[in-house]
Amino acid sequence: MKTEKSIAIQYDQEDPLQSFRKEFYISDNTIYFDGNSLGLLSKRAEQAVESIMEAWKRHAIDGWTEGTHPWFYLSEQLGDLSAPLVGASTDEVIVTGSTTTNLHQLVATFFKPDEKRNKILADELNFPSDIYALKSQLKLKGLDPDDHLVQIKSKDGNTLQTQDIIDGMQDDIALIVLPSILYRSGQIVDMETLTKEAHKRGIIIGFDLCHSIGSIPHQLTEWDVDFAFWCTYKHLNGGPGSVGALYVNKKHLGKEPGLAGWFSSAKDKQFDMEHTLTPAEDAGAFQIGTPHVLSAAPLLGSLEIFKEAGMDQIREKSLKLTNYFMELIEIELTDYAFTIANPRDDQTRGGHIFLEHPEAARICKALKENGIVPDFRNPNGIRLAPVALYNTFEEVWETVKTLKEIMQEESYKKFENKRGVIA
Ligand SMILES: *Cc1c(COP(=O)(O)O)cnc(C)c1O
């Protein structure tokens, strides 16, 4: 029988990534399925922070150029470590800023409206911060977002159709910004096809990789994507508020950053203190000010884990986990009005399961009471992210069993069906 626990245990025994779990701090009696909101702390990330603290202690100002990871080159070094995760060469990636500030930087750099092309194409399902940033960039250019931000509609409220996006690529579109994976349904957007279609029409295209970085492999350079940006505290386990990252395609390197600062400088020129900026020739040009060294530090350890585990193995296990999750849900929870609202097929399914249920808010509270950490998404969504580096098939099995008990016993009813401040 598919539902027997022994199957989960067997999958765990066969798992080539099983040794990574013990590198993470996982609370006792907790099943953590929220790694797509905040990844867990690894011992390697913790040690990396300690080594940066040690450099500060010992070297003080000289830590910028001395110690094991001189801070002056840290953003570039982390960019090098991140490049394989997005299929880029090392000069195309820099670890800097946050998702939202990087989006501001990239739109300020790439959105050059003229008489003919003066609109930005986005979608109606993206994370609010991206939309706020796009609207404010339009306003800065004196353009009304109501007329100049075009948002592709979703037919089912959860997913986007590639053809609908292509149909939106009209003559007046100058720039396209889309998520790589939708944060609610976990749908993977076809970045390769969309890039090809955008370029056929002379439109610049960039992607927000927040939910795909560290969860699926990318080939940004091969696909010829113009730019991308992402956070590092979700699947990359960089810690709360860890420094974000961006990618700029080689063909655009040398472009003047839309938002300049002294860290946009060529490294050897920066301390000449001239009032004319000589931008770096690599993606480092899109930095603004002094790097946030302490919140970049965990990535030194965390990205090493990704290098060792390899994105292909991570993706393979992730697909197996989510597939197993869906199989069990379909067998065990048929009586309880759950809808699996993430895409089913491997091609378009990202790293998490998205369940819809009218009582989602309080079912999440009941799960938490039982030691399972899900992620509620207003108004009726439950995100469950089994993370390849530290979650197990047995945890998936336990979770479905617990969900079934919660529904059978109606134990969710003792909670209010309302979201908390952070959800
Ligand atoms: C998590 C997330 C953000 C968060 O932006 P920050 O600047 O890191 O706060 C933005 N966009 C998407 C799609 C996200 O998933």
Side-chain angles (χ1 to χ4, degrees), residues 388-400:
L389 285 173
Y390 50 75
N391 285 122
T392 64
F393 292 89
E394 195 176 334
E395 289 178 318
V396 170
W397 185 89
E398 284 290 344
T399 299
V400 176

Side-chain angles (χ1 to χ4, degrees), residues 1-8 324 327-328 331-332 397:
M1 269 281 284
K2 194 85 210 174
T3 55
E4 270 168 32
K5 189 176 183 175
S6 59
I7 292 179
Y324 180 56
E327 281 177 357
L328 290 184
I331 300 169
E332 300 285 7
W397 185 89

Side-chain angles (χ1 to χ4, degrees), residues 284-339:
F286 302 95
Q287 298 177 86
I288 303 175
T290 304
H292 303 172
V293 173
L294 292 178
S295 25
L299 292 168
L300 282 166
S302 175
L303 290 173
E304 204 179 275
I305 296 179
F306 279 86
K307 191 170 160 186
E308 257 174 55
M311 268 325 298
D312 289 336
Q313 280 208 102
I314 289 173
R315 175 62 172 158
E316 199 179 318
K317 178 175 171 189
S318 166
L319 281 173
K320 196 170 165 185
L321 281 163
T322 47
N323 192 47
Y324 180 56
F325 224 143
M326 292 190 295
E327 281 177 357
L328 290 184
I329 289 166
E330 288 197 313
I331 300 169
E332 300 285 7
L333 301 176
T334 40
D335 297 340
Y336 303 106
F338 286 100
T339 310

Side-chain angles (χ1 to χ4, degrees), residues 98-100 126-127 130 208 210-211 231 233-234:
S98 72
T99 314
T100 314
N126 204 344
F127 197 81
D130 298 44
D208 179 332
C210 278
H211 279 277
C231 66
Y233 48 78
K234 291 172 181 162

Side-chain angles (χ1 to χ4, degrees), residues 148-223:
H148 294 265
L149 179 65
V150 181
Q151 289 182 265
I152 298 297
K153 294 220 172 340
S154 163
K155 290 199 170 82
D156 60 3
N158 280 325
T159 57
L160 298 170
Q161 301 289 319
T162 305
Q163 192 55 48
D164 290 346
I165 302 172
I166 295 170
D167 292 344
M169 297 180 186
Q170 297 295 317
D171 290 346
D172 51 3
I173 304 291
L175 182 79
I176 302 172
V177 177
L178 294 167
S180 53
I181 291 188
L182 300 185
Y183 77 99
R184 285 169 60 87
S185 69
Q187 179 198 5
I188 302 177
V189 168
D190 185 347
M191 291 176 263
E192 184 175 13
T193 301
L194 292 171
T195 301
K196 206 174 285 161
E197 295 297 328
H199 288 171
K200 269 192 213 161
R201 295 162 177 80
I203 308 171
I204 298 269
I205 184 164
F207 294 95
D208 179 332
L209 309 186
C210 278
H211 279 277
S212 63
I213 189 78
S215 95
I216 65 169
H218 306 74
Q219 296 301 336
L220 296 186
T221 302
E222 190 188 311
W223 301 335

